[in-house]
Amino acid sequence: MSVGVIAAPVDPWVLPLDGSQELSHELVGGKAWSVNRLAALGIPTPPAAAMTIAACRVYLSTGSLPEHAWEQLLSALQAIERASGRTFGGSTRPLLLSVRSGAARSMPGMMDTVLNLGLNDAVQSALARESGDSGFAADTRRRFEADFLNTVLADPQGSVPADPWQQLRKAVHAVFNSWHSARARVYREHQGLSHEAGTAVTVQAMVFGNLDDRSGTGVIFSRNPASGEPLPMGEWLPRAQGEDIVSGRRTPQPIESMQAVLPGPYRDLLAFTRRLEQDARDVQDVEFTVEAGRLWLLQCRSAKRSARAALRLAVSLCEEGLISKAEAVQRLTPEQVRSLREPRLDPDALAGALQLAAGTAACPGLATGQAVMDSESAVERGEHEDVILVCRTTSPEDIHGMLAARGIVTALGGATSHAAVVSREIGVPCVVGCGEAVLELLKGRRLTVDGQGGRIFDGLVRIAAATPPDDPDLRRFTAWAREQEAAPPSLLAALQAAT
Amino acid sequence: MAMTDVALLQLIRVKGLADEAAVAAAVGQSADAVQAACLAALSGGLLTRLPRGLRLTPAGRERLTELIAQERAGLDAEALDAAYEDFCAVNQELKTAIAAWQIRDDATPNDHTDPGYDARVIERLAAFDARAAPILARLALLAPRLSRYGQRLSAALERVQAGDHAYVARPIIDSYHTVWFELHEDLIAMAGRTRAAEAAAGRGA
């Protein structure tokens, strides 16, 4: 930030993500930061640039992009064209773009993304000629138009502009506007994040996981984020784009199955993932795409993890010399230490469990029982057996059924819905907003409700005991914490209670 | 004023099960008046007595639906819709405040060991109560029986401010959240809407 009365001549609103300079999360958001870091480490990532979070704030307060921002984006686009050897809107070797949001603090899935941008009739023909596969070109066009209509125009009947630059401008505006979307606001309110911060836009050359049989897309963790065991785990989908995994339309395969089909990219993927873990000194969650046998990494970040895994990782990363004892002690929150004392789903049983539904985690805890579809049945059957109340929404008259149930699942509503508020008051594990389909899907089944993870599983998933006080990792961690003068008292108190 | 059937039946419907004492406290009537009204409803087949309290029979539900339709026919529909919209406009604010009572900003459960945090949430609830007062006043002008909700909300807030924190959100008792939600239920029926449709439209589930 410059100090003084006179502003810098031209503020940089757009920055290349080529690893040539260090960037901060506050400047370009987590996604762009990681792309820049990949480039700096020499790990293949498609050429990209970011319009800054500061530009977003100007846009949201004035309704238009700051002066020079668009020109800067166009010149960054030329650099992407040079690096990729492709031309945006071109009739040979066309460049398509992904346009993604990315805030300083992660808000997964809350804002807008447009993939395959830059397509019109001429570009689709060029793509078909180049790939020799008109089906691929048509599939990509269909994906783009669906994305653009739904997220940019928010009108399924709208029409997509043929001019790629107009598509880009509208997509950038849409990503910025999505900062104020209802779901993003609700998420920030729930997470206690500020509405002021804003999001960056990352513009990156597309690579195509849906190109051919030597293409695909997936996610890999450098270690198991559920157990903390030092083995990479992940999943991938051959001949697909990332949204196919996220949407759940197709079932991904375990990452190991990639070895037989794409041995070279698989070997590189494991090596890069290790490298990123060493660089970040923490477990990494990496998104990748293979296009015609060539591996590209699209994003990396520190992985979300269970409390048990957080403990295992803090101890093992320290023993491996990646982090100091002082850092290890900072890797667990008092809340995570407390949750070590709670039972959890057995990781091995979980691997074989069928997840039926997911929603918003409303009240933590685990529950198993027979699904009942209304409060009266919950009251009646709850006297003799464990029941899970499954219903569209709850209202005050359902309280007696809620009290009789071991767990609660609703189709509609969020973290402040009646079911969520009441379940927390009465301490009954609860997942809300799982979608209308659960009313049919869960009927008559035995269920396991994971109120912490917001997941519903088929049948009774084995529950593992809490971490015992004499667990070797817990003992070691506690000893380290007691050595640290700077260890927070709340952490020490939680450890005291757990050991 | 004698208790109307619609107030009695609506209260027992929304509570699922309620005994006479809870009904009397909620409707603000004497125990005798409530006893008499409940006996009449029991003998009329509108209520049934279960071990843990009174419950609406199917006939009672039908009767309540008719009574609400009659009540609705006598109301200014446009004014009612407008008042309902006003209610929805502040509904999320209340729900966020209640959630803040239960979950802290860092997504950890509020274990109520930080009196400063709790005091801030209670201030937020009181500020909300003041902002919601004109909306409740308008509702009471539309249908006088709704005035009881404002009184019950104030009573809940007073108890919270006196240190009885169960009256923020605990179910069954007349906590702020319980009463607010019962009001929402009542308004949905009065406005001729359904909870499922309202929830699907994002207006509270």
Side-chain angles (χ1 to χ4, degrees):
Chain A
M1 198 70 71
S2 67
V3 181
V5 188
I6 300 164
V10 179
D11 291 311
W13 300 112
V14 177
L15 293 159
L17 304 177
D18 55 6
S20 61
Q21 54 181 320
E22 282 210 26
L23 302 174
S24 70
H25 282 72
E26 286 66 33
L27 186 64
V28 294
K31 190 167 316 208
W33 182 91
S34 80
V35 169
N36 191 55
R37 189 68 199 151
L38 288 167
L41 293 171
I43 293 173
T45 187
M51 192 177 281
T52 64
I53 292 175
C56 175
R57 285 202 288 263
V58 172
Y59 174 81
L60 290 176
S61 63
T62 66
S64 52
L65 294 177
E67 210 185 338
H68 306 302
W70 179 249
E71 291 73 22
Q72 289 177 16
L73 183 61
L74 294 184
S75 63
L77 183 52
Q78 287 172 358
I80 294 175
E81 288 180 325
R82 282 193 299 277
S84 62
R86 296 180 164 274
T87 311
F88 190 55
S91 52
T92 56
R93 287 185 58 78
L95 171 68
L96 301 191
L97 298 172
S98 72
V99 180
R100 299 168 192 263
S101 60
R105 299 253 321 254
S106 167
M107 294 171 53
M110 290 301 122
M111 291 180 292
D112 287 345
T113 288
V114 186
L115 302 181
N116 308 302
L117 184 135
L119 272 163
N120 54 28
D121 290 344
V123 173
Q124 184 184 339
S125 308
L127 201 61
R129 272 196 309 278
E130 183 192 342
S131 61
D133 183 350
S134 58
F136 157 72
D139 178 45
T140 307
R141 177 82 178 271
R142 178 190 59 73
R143 289 167 184 269
F144 164 61
E145 302 223 318
D147 243 10
F148 199 91
L149 293 175
N150 284 329
T151 59
V152 179
L153 300 179
D155 173 13
Q157 310 302 324
S159 76
V160 178
D163 175 26
W165 285 271
Q166 217 190 328
Q167 293 172 6
L168 178 59
R169 189 188 268 272
K170 281 183 183 291
V172 168
H173 290 188
V175 168
F176 281 163
N177 285 326
S178 71
W179 176 258
H180 281 317
S181 69
R183 68 192 153 138
R185 295 191 72 92
V186 168
Y187 180 86
R188 288 194 297 270
E189 271 160 26
H190 187 59
Q191 300 288 324
L193 301 176
S194 159
H195 289 314
E196 306 305 314
T199 178
V201 177
T202 301
V203 174
Q204 188 167 34
M206 280 295 299
V207 287
F208 298 97
N210 58 333
L211 181 63
D212 58 23
D213 289 338
R214 303 193 63 240
S215 303
T217 189
V219 178
I220 185 169
F221 294 93
S222 58
R223 303 184 191 212
N224 185 320
S227 67
E229 292 313 303
L231 286 171
M233 70 171 283
E235 49 190 32
W236 80 301
L237 260 176
R239 205 163 187 153
Q241 285 195 352
E243 71 187 49
D244 298 321
I245 289 193
V246 178
S247 69
R249 273 199 293 272
R250 289 169 57 190
T251 307
Q253 303 176 8
I255 199 76
E256 295 75 23
S257 71
M258 202 178 138
Q259 186 165 18
V261 196
L262 295 161
Y266 180 70
R267 191 189 57 232
D268 290 346
L269 179 64
L270 293 186
F272 291 146
T273 304
R274 251 192 319 274
R275 177 83 201 280
L276 288 166
E277 182 182 279
Q278 299 273 325
D279 183 58
R281 301 180 309 129
D282 197 7
V283 186
Q284 294 295 292
D285 167 351
V286 176
E287 290 177 19
F288 68 91
T289 284
V290 181
E291 181 190 71
R294 187 163 174 196
L295 174 68
W296 300 92
L297 270 56
L298 302 180
Q299 179 172 204
C300 62
R301 60 192 159 196
S302 287
K304 293 205 185 307
R305 65 205 67 183
S306 69
R308 188 70 193 81
L311 175 64
R312 182 84 271 275
L313 291 166
V315 171
S316 53
L317 293 177
C318 183
E319 284 173 338
E320 290 166 30
L322 270 179
I323 57 175
S324 67
K325 286 181 187 174
E327 283 171 297
V329 168
Q330 289 167 10
R331 295 280 170 101
L332 249 73
T333 63
E335 179 57 27
Q336 284 174 317
V337 172
R338 276 193 286 276
S339 74
L340 289 173
R341 298 165 63 200
E342 306 288 334
R344 64 204 162 93
L345 292 175
D346 182 282
D348 294 330
L350 201 54
L354 173 62
Q355 184 175 326
L356 294 173
T360 304
C363 179
L366 298 171
T368 60
Q370 178 69 40
V372 293
M373 310 309 288
D374 59 66
S375 299
E376 278 181 48
S377 319
V379 171
E380 277 165 30
R381 296 184 61 174
E383 298 214 347
H384 320 288
E385 57 179 324
D386 293 344
V387 296
I388 307 291
L389 174 61
V390 180
C391 48
R392 182 172 278 114
T393 63
T394 64
S395 72
E397 66 184 299
D398 294 311
I399 180 62
H400 307 283
M402 297 170 84
L403 285 167
R406 295 281 173 179
I408 300 165
V409 177
T410 72
L412 301 178
T416 62
S417 63
H418 180 265
V421 168
V422 171
S423 67
R424 290 191 288 263
E425 285 296 313
I426 62 182
V428 175
C430 176
V431 181
V432 296
C434 298
E436 288 276 357
V438 293
L439 299 176
E440 270 310 308
L441 180 65
L442 303 186
K443 198 178 279 181
R445 291 182 192 258
R446 310 253 281 168
L447 303 175
T448 298
V449 175
D450 170 11
Q452 179 85 45
R455 300 174 297 178
I456 321 296
F457 297 95
D458 192 25
L460 307 185
V461 180
R462 191 166 63 239
I463 290 174
T467 305
D470 61 350
D471 176 81
D473 286 341
L474 183 57
R475 291 194 150 227
R476 187 158 297 183
F477 184 88
T478 305
W480 294 347
R482 287 177 179 153
E483 288 167 19
Q484 304 299 322
E485 282 179 16
S490 55
L491 180 70
L492 293 173
L495 287 166
Q496 180 72 35
T499 50
Chain B
M1 193 176 69
M3 182 170 29
T4 59
D5 274 359
V6 67
L8 175 73
L9 296 179
Q10 172 66 19
L11 188 84
I12 295 176
R13 180 190 78 76
V14 80
K15 285 196 180 294
L17 270 173
D19 61 23
E20 280 94 335
V23 173
V27 297
Q29 299 264 326
S30 73
D32 287 350
V34 169
Q35 195 78 31
C38 288
L39 272 177
L42 277 162
S43 62
L46 304 179
L47 293 179
T48 175
R49 189 182 297 282
L50 298 176
R52 281 176 300 170
L54 299 166
R55 185 177 184 79
L56 249 58
T57 60
R61 282 181 181 264
E62 261 176 47
R63 179 72 187 138
L64 178 61
T65 308
E66 288 166 18
L67 289 172
I68 286 176
Q70 282 172 20
E71 184 181 46
R72 182 173 155 71
L75 293 176
D76 175 347
E78 253 178 51
L80 179 61
D81 269 347
Y84 181 63
E85 290 298 329
D86 289 347
F87 175 91
C88 290
V90 298
N91 185 33
Q92 187 57 35
E93 196 184 332
L94 183 268
K95 291 165 74 159
T96 311
I98 298 287
W101 178 255
Q102 300 177 317
I103 306 168
R104 297 187 57 128
D105 300 340
D106 57 359
T108 59
N110 181 13
D111 59 8
H112 303 289
T113 53
D114 177 355
Y117 179 85
D118 283 0
R120 285 193 296 281
V121 180
I122 292 170
E123 272 171 32
R124 190 168 155 186
L125 192 62
F128 171 82
D129 189 68
R131 272 196 301 284
I135 297 171
L136 287 156
R138 275 180 63 194
L139 286 168
L141 284 178
L142 276 171
R145 74 172 177 86
L146 297 181
S147 63
R148 189 61 205 148
Y149 285 105
Q151 296 159 10
R152 290 168 67 198
L153 288 170
S154 303
L157 180 61
E158 277 167 26
R159 298 186 81 138
V160 171
Q161 286 171 327
D164 193 348
H165 291 172
Y167 279 80
V168 176
R170 187 164 298 169
I172 301 185
I173 65 169
D174 267 6
S175 67
Y176 206 95
H177 182 256
T178 300
V179 177
W180 183 264
F181 214 93
E182 289 183 8
L183 170 59
H184 192 181
E185 284 284 308
D186 209 342
L187 291 177
I188 286 172
M190 209 179 227
R193 306 181 189 217
T194 67
R195 163 150 304 278
E198 292 305 287
R203 285 191 292 264

